[in-house]
């Protein structure tokens, strides 16, 4: 057990910094086990600080101090005090700026937490967000301290021919002993979490971008030599993102150079360090034969995300870490919109909402629920959550919906103009949106402080005499930890009305102009909205585009849903109607399973799907979504007590019934769209792959030799990873005779491509096959598995515990024990990643009594482990409350 409970940090305790650091000169002599750091900081008392004390406290962890001097005068041992996490200097000059010089030593090789300066294979690199800079040298490691950085790197020429840091290269030279040096200067003031350096033997592809004002920017992507043929897509994505930010937000890049480095060991996806992004290889490297269509899409999105941070995060940054959603929520919203514009807005929106509803809604309903701007934390790394990111993006999206495209742009222009070069709060963002549009968002601000997903109940009343439709809306939110009572929120509800012949009904609302679609603003707990001049009762299409992150409760018959699947012009609601329809049918099957009744298939679903299939579809990706059943995890999220076996059985039953009913249609869909278009990534080719693989997946459930041959043939002849992986996955999920051979062959074919081997691990971890648990356990001993590589951990342990509910939640609890053992081992290596692996256990309240006990036992084991990190402790202990 921990000796003492770790300290909680509160938003309400925020105070201005007592000292400022105007500029920093760093010099690092790099080596794997003994890197020397010299830091010279130009400092002064903060004029805004009221505290007149002369004590200076700097943050620093795992550092070995060598020397300290102020204005050139060395400090003696009595002048300062060192503790585990701080350096305190009793007396520093109060009246004028002074230079504090520090020399210290660090060991990158011993740094398995991958925070601060660490080793990724042979390469040295940094990760400083949120509080990693303090593992490089003593500093005021908080985002409201903004400084200019000048960095000199000194290293062996053969081991580290490439030496990079933020900004522009201003000088370089040679030294004795086969060493060289490079100096980088970043003219923009930045918080230290945006500092970065990279040293290694790297290859690079180069390109150019001409900005809207005609400046030429040099673009470089650095990777290991063997990956140089996998950078093109990342480069194209970068240029598209740069153009988009100019066109949509009027934002231009500011430095002359933009560098991206791909590293194989990385805790997260990617990092927006000023002028020098560091990326997980997963979000850079792609070649048609190694990366799937969805990998290509993710790369495009992540490259854009980190690029967009240059304005939303770097030029305007966060005052403190409670404001994280200021940069992350806004930037996720920006990358979502960008991705939608690149391919299909409809599909992007559906996919984002799927993620939000399965994962963020679960977080909001569980023990770790927190507002998008949390009030407290123990370990900030635990707050890079789906709530801060995805719900944060929904909150920005609602502002966008309320203000309209132009109003939102006026608001963002004012935000950038007002706060360029500053560290600000979520409130400043909302104020800029208000001031630019002369509207009042004071009620809307509750979205920032209130946790939990609101439920929106809607009752329709149609009066045929008055020709009037009334919508009675009521909102409520369940209590969340430390927030028992909830207030009404300002909720934009987008609405359309559809006539019985499928045409759009014009909306008459109060004295507003007649429109086809309207945004209703719900601000009270209960509110009614009246629509007049309706000769017959229209079908209501509510919460179009998923206009607010709420759970909508409105009675809709299966017939009404089938009607919407045919006629709703809103692409989101059209898909949603189909999901509700199949969801309703699956839930009635789940009930039958739980009562041991015989399962009967509902033909309404089949006729609705056939109708969809009879139409002429240009967007085959959208058609694939319409034909897909809700995921097991989404179904689970709608059950009070989750029954993983019944969910699986019911969903498989429906899937097979659909396949039986539509077999010939699926066969022809498969044959029509099965072409070799490897290397084609336009929406049409992606759509063809998607629909064909969906058809094959339905056919596979029929256990028929003929369709097994389709998969096997596709597996062996595929030249692109989308098709190869889809086929392999169907082979291992079925009773296919060549399962083992194909898995083995895949490993041999790809053993030198780490990212493909990650897929090989994940595929087995997610398998529904009855041997999965033993396989996963054995795979932890595989020579290619290592707890030191976060991508591997996520592919095996993460995938098993978060994407395989059927086996992770096995009744005997072996899944939970497996996870605990691995989290304890990982805790010593990488606390941040270890803490993220605990999610699978946090939802224990949603399972039956037996499983609850076993999950709680597992969480208690974590809390009671000696030397448990703050990271794991916070997640496990809060989950038990
Ligand atoms: N700033 C984060 C990365 C980060 C956060 C690194 C905390 C280390 C600690 C970055 O901008 C980010 O949000 N990355 C996401 C991907 C993005 C597309 C949502 C990630 O890494 O998952
Ligand atoms: Zn981000």
């Amino acid at each position: 057990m921990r000796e003492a409970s770790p300290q909680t940090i509160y938003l309400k305790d925020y105070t201005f910094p007592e000292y400022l650091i105007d500029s920093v000169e760093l010099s690092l002599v790099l080596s794997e086990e003994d890197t020397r750091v010299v830091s010279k900081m130009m400092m002064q008392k903060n004029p805004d600080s009221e505290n007149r004390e002369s004590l200076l406290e700097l943050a620093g962890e795992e550092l070995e101090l060598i020397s300290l001097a102020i204005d050139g005068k060395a400090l003696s041992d009595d002048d300062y005090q060192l503790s585990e996490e701080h350096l305190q200097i009793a007396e520093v000059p109060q009246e004028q700026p002074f230079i504090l010089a520090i020399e210290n030593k660090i060991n990158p090789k011993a740094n398995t937490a991958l925070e601060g300066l660490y080793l990724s294979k042979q390469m040295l690199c940094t990760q400083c967000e949120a509080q990693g800079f303090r593992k490089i040298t003593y500093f005021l490691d908080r985002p409201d301290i903004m400084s200019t950085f000048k960095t000199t790197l000194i290293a062996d020429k053969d081991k580290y021919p490439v030496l990079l840091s933020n900004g522009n290269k201003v000088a370089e030279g040679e030294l004795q002993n086969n060493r060289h040096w490079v100096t980088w200067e970043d003219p923009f003031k930045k918080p230290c979490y945006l500092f970065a350096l990279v040293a290694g033997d790297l290859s690079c592809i180069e390109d150019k971008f001409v900005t809207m004002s005609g400046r030429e920017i040099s673009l470089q992507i650095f990777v290991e030599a063997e990956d140089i043929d996998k950078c093109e897509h990342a480069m194209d994505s970068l240029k598209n993102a740069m153009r988009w930010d100019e066109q949509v937000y009027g934002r231009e890049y500011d430095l002359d150079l933009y560098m991206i480095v791909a590293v194989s060991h990385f805790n997260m996806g990617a990092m927006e360090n000023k002028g020098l992004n560091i990326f997980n290889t997963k979000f850079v490297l792609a070649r048609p034969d190694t990366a799937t269509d969805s990998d290509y899409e993710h790369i495009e999105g992540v490259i854009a995300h980190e690029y967009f941070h240059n304005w939303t995060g770097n030029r305007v940054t966060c005052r403190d870490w409670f404001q994280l959603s200021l940069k992350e929520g806004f930037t996720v919203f920006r990358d979502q919109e960008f991705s939608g514009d690149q391919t299909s807005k409809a599909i992007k929106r559906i996919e984002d909402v799927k993620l939000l509803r399965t994962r963020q809604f679960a977080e909001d309903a569980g023990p770790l629920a927190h507002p998008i701007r949390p009030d407290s934390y123990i370990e900030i790394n635990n707050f890079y959550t789906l709530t801060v990111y995805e719900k944060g993006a929904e909150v920005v999206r609602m502002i966008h919906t309320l203000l309209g495209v132009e109003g939102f742009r006026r608001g963002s222009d004012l935000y950038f103009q007002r706060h360029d070069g500053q560290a600000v709060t979520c409130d400043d963002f909302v104020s800029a949106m208000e001031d630019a549009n002369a509207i009042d968002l004071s009620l809307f601000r509750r979205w920032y402080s209130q946790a939990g997903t609101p439920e929106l109940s809607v009752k329709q009343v149609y009066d045929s005499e008055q020709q009037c439709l009334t919508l009675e809306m009521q909102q409520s939110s369940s209590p969340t930890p430390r927030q028992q009572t909830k207030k009404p929120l300002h909720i934009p509800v987008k609405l359309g009305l559809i006539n019985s012949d499928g045409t759009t009904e014009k909306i008459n609302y109060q004295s507003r102009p007649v429109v086809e679609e309207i945004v209703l603003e719900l601000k009270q707990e209960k509110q009614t909205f009246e629509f007049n001049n309706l000769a017959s009762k229209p079908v209501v299409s509510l919460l179009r585009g998923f206009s607010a992150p709420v759970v909508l409760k409105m009675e809709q018959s299966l017939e009404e849903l089938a009607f919407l699947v045919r006629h709703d012009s809103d692409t989101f609601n059209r898909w949603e109607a189909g999901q509700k329809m199949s969801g309703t049918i699956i839930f009635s099957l789940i009930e039958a399973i739980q009562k041991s009744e015989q399962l009967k298939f509902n033909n309404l679903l089949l006729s609705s799907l056939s109708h969809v299939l009879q139409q002429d579809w240009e967007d085959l990706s959208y058609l694939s979504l319409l034909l897909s059943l809700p995921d097991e995890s989404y179904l689970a999220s709608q059950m009070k007590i989750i029954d993983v076996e019944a969910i699986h059985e019911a969903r498989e039953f429906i899937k097979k019934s659909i396949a039986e009913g539509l077999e010939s249609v699926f066969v022809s869909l498969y044959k029509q769209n099965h072409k070799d278009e490897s290397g084609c990534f336009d929406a049409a080719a992606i759509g063809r792959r998607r629909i064909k693989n969906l058809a094959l997946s339905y056919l596979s459930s029929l256990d028929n030799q003929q369709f097994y041959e389709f998969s096997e043939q596709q597996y062996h002849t595929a030249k692109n990873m989308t098709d190869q992986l889809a086929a392999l996955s169907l082979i291992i999920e079925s009773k296919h005779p060549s399962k083992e051979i194909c898995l083995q062959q895949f490993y041999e074919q790809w053993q030198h491509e780490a990212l493909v081997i990650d897929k090989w691990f994940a595929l087995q971890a997610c398998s529904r096959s009855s041997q999965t648990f033993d396989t996963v356990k054995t795979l932890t001993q595989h020579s290619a598995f290592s707890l030191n590589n976060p991508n591997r951990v996520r592919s095996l342990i993460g995938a098993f515990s978060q994407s395989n509910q059927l086996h992770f939640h096995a009744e005997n609890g072996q899944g939970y024990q497996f996870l605990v053992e691995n989290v304890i081992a990982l805790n010593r290596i990488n606390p941040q990643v270890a803490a993220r692996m605990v999610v699978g256990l946090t939802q224990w309240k949603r399972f039956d009594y037996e499983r609850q006990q076993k999950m709680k036992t597992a969480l208690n084991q974590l809390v009671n482990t000696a030397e448990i990190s703050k990271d794991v402790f916070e997640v496990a202990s809060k989950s038990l409350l």
Side-chain angles (χ1 to χ4, degrees):
M1 178 123 55
R2 296 188 59 89
E3 279 156 35
S5 282
Q7 202 198 340
T8 300
I9 318 284
Y10 295 92
L11 168 59
K12 63 176 168 43
D13 293 342
Y14 175 84
T15 54
F16 291 126
E18 281 164 31
Y19 293 87
L20 304 176
I21 306 176
D22 296 314
S23 62
V24 195
E25 268 188 46
L26 288 173
S27 130
L28 291 102
V29 185
L30 298 164
S31 87
E32 279 189 10
E33 291 179 62
D34 179 4
T35 288
R36 304 262 158 167
V37 186
V38 175
S39 161
K40 290 188 181 134
M41 295 170 275
M42 171 77 94
M43 302 189 67
Q44 61 168 312
K45 186 89 194 170
N46 181 2
D48 292 336
S49 151
E50 273 134 43
N51 191 332
R52 289 288 116 205
E53 258 185 74
S54 57
L55 178 85
L56 169 65
E57 184 179 79
L58 301 167
E61 289 171 24
E62 284 153 54
L63 305 173
E64 195 178 313
L65 181 64
I66 298 171
S67 72
L68 274 176
I70 289 180
D71 290 328
K73 193 166 160 280
L75 299 193
S76 73
D77 290 356
D78 307 335
D79 299 332
Y80 65 89
Q81 245 191 337
L82 272 180
S83 65
E84 284 271 289
E85 299 186 346
H86 295 107
L87 164 64
Q88 292 184 332
I89 303 175
E91 205 121 346
V92 298
Q94 297 295 293
E95 304 312 325
Q96 310 152 63
F98 59 97
I99 291 177
L100 174 60
I102 299 179
E103 191 180 358
N104 65 277
K105 232 168 81 157
I106 44 181
N107 181 352
K109 194 173 178 181
N111 182 359
T112 57
L114 314 185
E115 202 185 28
L117 180 66
Y118 67 93
L119 202 57
S120 172
K121 293 204 200 159
Q122 315 295 339
M123 198 189 306
L124 285 166
C125 62
T126 54
Q127 172 55 43
C128 294
E129 186 175 4
Q131 300 179 330
F133 194 77
R134 61 184 66 182
K135 293 182 166 183
I136 297 175
T137 187
Y138 296 98
F139 206 75
L140 295 177
D141 188 356
R142 44 186 285 174
D144 55 357
I145 294 289
M146 299 173 79
S147 332
T148 57
F149 282 72
K150 183 173 177 179
T151 305
T152 299
L153 304 175
I154 302 152
D156 185 86
K157 254 200 297 200
D158 296 329
K159 276 194 105 166
Y160 307 107
V162 176
L163 298 173
L164 310 174
S165 191
N166 317 86
N168 305 307
K169 193 192 268 191
V170 292
E172 60 192 317
E174 310 258 315
L175 294 167
Q176 288 173 334
N177 303 329
N178 197 43
R179 294 194 306 167
H180 67 151
W181 61 273
V182 180
T183 299
W184 291 84
E185 207 172 305
D186 182 357
F188 293 94
K189 281 201 164 196
K190 65 166 174 287
C192 64
Y193 83 84
L194 291 171
F195 170 82
L197 77 82
V198 172
D201 186 1
L202 298 166
S203 300
C204 133
I205 69 160
E206 284 199 77
D207 208 328
K208 284 188 168 36
F209 179 84
V210 179
T211 69
M212 58 185 180
S213 74
R215 290 170 43 246
E216 192 177 284
I217 316 291
S218 159
L219 313 176
Q220 300 176 333
I221 299 181
F222 293 87
V223 295
E224 286 178 46
E226 67 201 40
D227 291 322
I228 199 75
D229 59 347
K230 304 191 196 81
C231 300
E232 207 180 304
H233 176 61
M235 186 63 92
D236 290 340
S237 303
L238 176 59
K239 289 185 285 183
N240 290 336
M242 294 178 87
R243 187 63 69 217
W244 189 89
D245 212 13
E246 292 183 345
Q247 286 166 349
V248 180
Y249 283 84
R251 296 292 119 193
E252 183 174 327
Y253 186 61
D254 46 16
L255 288 162
D256 299 330
L257 174 62
Y258 194 88
M259 297 175 283
I260 292 175
V261 180
V263 303
S264 57
H265 292 64
F266 201 74
N267 283 346
M268 301 279 289
M271 177 66 210
E272 70 266 25
N273 317 302
K274 183 84 189 186
L276 176 59
N277 290 182
I278 298 181
F279 270 62
N280 189 323
T281 44
K282 184 176 165 62
F283 295 114
V284 177
L285 304 180
R287 211 172 54 195
D289 60 331
T290 62
T292 62
D293 293 343
S294 106
D295 294 330
Y296 272 75
E297 280 160 18
H298 286 133
I299 290 169
E300 179 177 76
V302 181
I303 294 261
H305 178 97
E306 306 312 335
Y307 174 73
F308 296 153
H309 269 315
N310 193 52
W311 277 97
T312 48
N314 302 3
R315 290 288 288 257
V316 183
T317 196
C318 302
R319 186 192 74 173
D320 54 76
W321 292 118
F322 296 102
Q323 317 296 329
L324 183 58
S325 202
L326 172 76
K327 76 176 175 82
E328 295 302 347
F330 191 7
T331 305
V332 170
F333 171 70
R334 277 151 56 70
D335 84 54
Q336 290 176 344
E337 291 294 286
F338 163 76
S339 293
D341 283 347
Q342 301 306 297
T343 43
S344 149
K345 268 212 181 315
I347 287 160
K348 181 63 181 151
R349 185 65 188 138
I350 291 170
E351 280 172 350
D352 291 338
V353 174
K354 277 169 82 172
L355 175 75
L356 182 84
R357 288 202 296 210
T358 46
R359 310 227 357 244
Q360 194 280 324
F361 280 19
E363 196 167 87
D364 242 350
L368 298 170
H370 53 276
I372 63 167
R373 182 187 56 216
D375 320 287
S376 69
Y377 60 75
I378 293 176
E379 170 54 62
I380 183 58
N381 284 322
N382 286 328
F383 282 80
Y384 287 75
T385 58
L386 288 140
T387 298
V388 167
Y389 275 66
E390 306 301 320
K391 187 177 181 179
E394 293 301 319
V395 170
V396 175
R397 181 178 297 278
M398 286 190 283
I399 297 179
H400 188 271
T401 302
L402 290 168
L403 300 182
V405 176
E406 283 146 29
F408 188 85
R409 172 65 192 268
R410 277 195 296 277
S412 71
D413 283 351
L414 179 61
Y415 172 70
F416 294 125
Q417 181 211 326
R418 207 183 251 180
H419 298 298
D420 189 8
Q422 298 177 1
V424 304
T425 62
C426 296
D427 221 49
D428 292 322
F429 174 75
V430 180
S431 296
M433 289 290 161
E434 278 179 319
D435 296 349
N437 290 281
I439 65 152
D440 178 9
L441 292 172
S442 45
L443 182 60
F444 186 86
R445 280 182 167 78
R446 283 184 189 157
W447 281 106
Y448 285 88
S449 54
Q450 188 162 296
T453 306
E455 200 173 281
L456 175 60
S457 307
V458 182
K459 232 178 94 188
Q460 306 178 22
V461 183
Y462 178 71
D463 181 336
S464 55
E465 240 156 71
Q466 301 292 318
Q467 304 206 328
C468 168
L469 172 75
T470 310
L471 297 180
E472 299 173 11
M473 299 198 190
Q474 183 167 4
Q475 56 166 311
S476 65
S477 297
S478 305
T480 52
R482 294 173 304 281
Q483 217 176 53
Q484 291 307 302
T485 56
K486 302 287 178 182
K487 294 179 183 148
L489 295 161
H490 181 174
I491 303 176
V493 183
K494 205 182 264 185
L495 163 85
L497 300 176
I498 305 163
N499 290 315
S500 54
D501 61 356
T503 57
T504 302
E505 173 68 58
K506 299 277 184 293
I507 300 175
N508 255 297
Y509 182 66
Q510 293 176 343
S511 46
R512 293 202 222 162
V514 175
V515 286
E516 298 194 341
E517 193 171 75
I518 188 172
V519 178
L520 305 171
E521 297 187 35
L522 178 63
K523 295 184 177 176
Q524 295 151 25
E525 193 189 326
K526 276 188 193 171
Q527 229 167 308
T528 51
F529 300 89
E530 264 182 32
F531 306 91
N532 296 306
N533 305 327
L534 296 167
S536 60
K537 182 179 183 302
V539 175
V540 173
S541 168
L542 206 65
L543 205 71
R544 283 188 155 181
F546 203 65
S547 62
V550 301
V551 173
L552 176 60
K553 296 267 157 133
M554 180 166 73
E555 253 177 59
Q556 284 169 304
S557 65
L558 287 179
E559 288 69 24
E560 217 173 329
L561 291 169
F563 175 89
L564 288 170
V565 173
R566 290 188 191 200
H567 299 295
D568 202 327
S569 60
D570 183 77
T571 50
F572 178 83
N573 270 10
R574 183 175 194 182
W575 167 81
E576 173 81 336
Q579 296 291 296
K580 275 195 189 147
M581 194 172 161
S582 38
T584 309
I585 293 170
I586 293 174
F587 280 116
S588 60
L589 288 171
I590 290 176
E591 257 176 60
I593 292 169
Q594 290 175 334
K595 293 190 205 140
S596 308
E597 289 169 5
Q598 228 206 312
L599 302 188
K600 278 196 283 309
F601 183 61
N602 187 323
N603 277 316
L604 196 58
L605 184 57
L606 207 57
S607 63
S608 174
L609 292 179
S610 324
H611 188 271
V612 164
L613 279 160
Q614 275 154 29
Q615 285 173 274
D616 213 4
W617 290 94
E618 211 179 300
D619 186 345
L620 294 178
S621 289
Y622 185 64
L623 173 62
S624 310
L625 285 173
L626 289 183
L627 297 178
S628 302
L629 294 171
D631 300 335
E632 289 185 15
S633 51
Y634 181 59
L635 296 166
S637 74
Q638 295 181 303
M639 285 183 93
K640 222 172 140 50
I641 296 294
I642 299 170
D643 182 341
V644 289
E645 277 113 12
I647 292 174
H648 181 69
E649 191 184 332
R651 191 177 179 281
E652 289 302 299
F653 175 82
I654 288 241
K655 191 174 172 194
K656 197 164 174 174
S657 310
I658 294 173
E660 280 162 358
L662 297 171
E663 180 178 329
S664 58
V665 189
F666 286 135
V667 171
S668 56
L669 262 184
Y670 182 75
K671 292 190 167 159
Q672 269 162 34
N673 295 294
H674 183 43
K675 310 180 179 167
D676 179 33
E677 297 178 289
S678 304
C680 277
F681 292 97
D682 55 280
I686 293 174
R688 281 190 287 274
R689 283 193 284 273
R690 199 156 174 169
I691 195 77
K692 146 188 102 183
N693 286 317
L694 180 73
L696 189 56
S697 142
Y698 274 111
L699 294 171
S700 270
S701 64
L702 295 175
D703 278 335
N704 173 328
Q705 186 56 32
Q706 182 199 351
F707 304 133
Y708 283 170
E709 277 160 27
F710 282 16
S711 312
E712 195 161 357
Q713 176 76 7
Q714 177 172 322
Y715 172 75
H716 288 295
T717 55
K719 292 191 191 67
N720 67 79
M721 188 45 74
T722 304
D723 284 352
Q724 194 184 12
L725 199 66
L728 180 60
S729 155
L730 294 176
I731 290 170
I732 74 164
E733 289 309 294
S734 66
K735 301 195 184 85
H736 203 294
S738 3
K739 264 182 176 179
E740 295 306 321
I741 303 172
C742 292
L743 263 178
Q744 183 59 28
Q745 187 278 332
F746 189 85
Y747 183 80
E748 279 156 22
Q749 183 185 355
W750 294 114
Q751 53 186 317
H752 303 297
E753 293 290 345
L755 296 171
V756 183
I757 294 303
D758 287 338
K759 297 180 194 304
W760 181 80
F761 277 104
L763 207 58
Q764 299 178 74
C766 295
S767 170
R768 266 73 180 140
S769 134
S770 59
Q771 295 104 55
T772 295
F773 179 74
D774 295 330
T775 309
V776 169
K777 224 174 160 164
T778 312
L779 283 174
T780 58
Q781 306 303 316
H782 194 282
S783 59
F785 184 77
S786 162
L787 286 177
N788 288 72
N789 185 331
N791 284 356
R792 279 291 139 84
V793 171
R794 285 184 282 256
S795 313
L796 187 61
I797 296 161
F800 176 68
S801 59
Q802 288 160 48
S803 308
N804 196 344
Q805 33 171 358
L806 184 65
H807 290 307
F808 175 64
H809 294 286
E811 229 177 340
N812 61 13
Q814 60 185 8
Y816 310 145
Q817 279 311 305
F818 167 80
L819 184 63
V820 165
E821 284 159 27
N822 280 286
V823 170
I824 290 173
L826 190 56
N827 174 65
R828 276 178 238 120
I829 298 169
N830 188 329
Q832 209 176 312
V833 175
R836 284 177 175 269
M837 289 299 123
V838 184
V839 219
L841 291 169
T842 57
Q843 301 287 322
W844 58 271
K845 287 202 179 101
R846 305 287 306 282
F847 290 84
D848 56 79
Y849 178 81
E850 299 297 324
R851 285 187 176 88
Q852 286 197 5
Q853 298 309 310
K854 295 187 167 101
M855 293 172 90
K856 280 200 283 187
T857 304
L859 287 165
N860 272 310
Q861 277 171 272
L862 292 176
V863 174
N864 295 327
T865 297
E867 290 174 47
I868 202 73
S869 60
K870 276 205 255 186
D871 309 59
V872 176
F873 176 81
E874 178 171 35
V875 178
S877 63
K878 286 186 176 170
S879 297
L880 281 164
L881 293 178

